[in-house]
Amino acid sequence: MAFQAISPKEIGENLIHLLDDRWALLTAGDRQEYNTMTVSWGGAGELWNREVCFVFVRPKRYTYQFIEKYDGFSLAFFPESEHSHLALCGSKSGREIDKAAQCGFTLAHEGDVPYFEQAELVIVCKKIYKQDIDPKCFLDPTIEKNYNGDYHRMYVGQIEKVLKK
């Protein structure tokens, strides 16, 4: 089944459910190099009069160097049957294994932004903002329990294209 481009407003699925329950693969890089990781923290909406997604990546993750280096990233949502593969992509490092090969995923690109053909929904973004999470800004002290001094960097990406099967 081929992808069709749709408007971000036509996504239809509940992104909170997709991220929290089904997870996504965040992929950054280009046609020569890339890495992917499983994410469950993030969201989408309107910011600065633009349709955006926001994601969080810890500096120790291998994907961090790719999202820092390249202008775009993708969020790919998969059928529930691929959940074990997303678990592998969240627990193994791309420094050590070829996650796509291990999962049987086929790499594709929208422009230079990589994603995987096996996804059902792909959101392609251009980075427009980044900021480190600062624990001094936590208004609820219980948030700190999610960290051990290893704070995420937040990336906001303008949605450039949404692909759906």
Side-chain angles (χ1 to χ4, degrees):
M1 177 182 268
F3 283 104
Q4 292 187 325
I6 63 169
S7 161
K9 294 180 181 179
E10 295 177 288
I11 289 175
E13 286 85 2
N14 179 319
L15 284 175
I16 294 172
H17 161 68
L18 288 176
L19 282 166
D20 191 35
D21 299 328
R22 301 243 319 256
W23 310 333
L25 287 183
L26 166 65
T27 307
D30 66 4
R31 293 178 178 272
Q32 284 71 49
E33 63 175 358
Y34 75 95
N35 197 58
T36 192
M37 63 180 267
T38 302
V39 295
S40 63
W41 289 8
E46 178 151 337
L47 181 64
W48 304 311
N49 298 312
R50 303 170 192 210
E51 295 164 329
V52 300
C53 281
F54 55 93
V55 295
F56 301 85
V57 181
R58 294 179 196 263
K60 71 179 181 183
R61 297 297 300 261
Y62 186 47
T63 303
Y64 180 84
Q65 73 186 42
F66 294 92
I67 199 165
E68 278 290 302
K69 181 176 179 180
Y70 293 99
D71 292 334
F73 64 88
S74 67
L75 281 175
F77 299 89
F78 291 77
E80 288 189 50
S81 60
E82 299 289 351
H83 200 76
S84 64
H85 288 138
L86 271 70
L88 179 138
C89 290
S91 63
K92 301 291 183 187
S93 174
R95 291 180 185 102
E96 298 160 5
I97 67 165
D98 181 340
K99 295 183 203 183
Q102 192 91 15
C103 296
F105 290 161
T106 305
L107 189 64
H109 293 85
E110 179 59 39
D112 277 340
V113 178
Y115 69 92
F116 298 103
E117 283 288 336
Q118 288 74 14
E120 294 179 321
L121 174 69
V122 178
I123 302 173
V124 179
C125 296
K126 177 183 177 188
K127 287 186 312 186
I128 60 171
Y129 182 80
K130 65 182 180 180
Q131 181 172 346
D132 293 333
I133 298 296
D134 182 348
K136 293 182 287 197
C137 296
F138 293 156
L139 300 177
D140 177 346
T142 65
I143 294 171
E144 184 64 45
K145 72 180 179 188
N146 293 286
Y147 294 97
N148 188 19
D150 184 20
Y151 300 99
H152 291 92
R153 176 167 285 175
M154 176 185 65
Y155 297 90
V156 177
Q158 180 174 316
I159 298 173
E160 298 286 298
K161 190 169 254 188
V162 177
L163 304 171
K164 187 172 183 177
K165 286 187 179 172

